[in-house]
């Protein structure tokens, strides 16, 4: 099965660590990163899609971060 996740967080080193952890767990970058101002919280936010091939069948209750 092909898995898709969209990672997002405030523009801090924690976001880079989140993406790095995903890459080290077999996920691959998918598309360009995004960067936008969150006016409600007055911070910059980052986002990056990642994909991964995995065994098994997709189920909506899968915890993608655990795969």
């Amino acid at each position: 099965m092909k898995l898709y996740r969209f990672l997002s967080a405030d523009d801090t080193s924690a976001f880079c660590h989140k993406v790095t952890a995903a890459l080290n767990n077999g996920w691959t970058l998918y598309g360009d990163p995004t960067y936008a101002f969150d006016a409600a919280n007055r911070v910059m936010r980052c986002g990056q899609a990642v994909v991964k091939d995995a065994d098994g069948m997709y189920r909506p209750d899968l915890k993608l971060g655990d795969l």
Side-chain angles (χ1 to χ4, degrees):
M1 78 179 130
K2 178 75 97 175
L3 304 173
Y4 171 91
R5 292 175 65 196
F6 184 77
L7 307 173
S8 64
D10 291 348
D11 181 21
T12 67
S13 63
F15 175 74
C16 295
H17 288 283
K18 183 186 286 192
V19 174
T20 299
L23 294 174
N24 281 282
N25 285 318
W27 294 84
T28 302
L29 298 177
Y30 182 81
D32 294 329
T34 61
Y35 195 64
F37 182 67
D38 177 350
N41 295 305
R42 304 187 50 78
V43 296
M44 293 302 290
R45 303 265 304 157
C46 300
Q48 175 64 58
V50 292
V51 294
K52 181 179 186 179
D53 288 317
D55 294 331
M57 297 294 293
Y58 172 76
R59 300 182 326 271
D61 64 325
L62 287 174
K63 295 189 180 201
L64 299 176
D66 293 341
L67 299 175

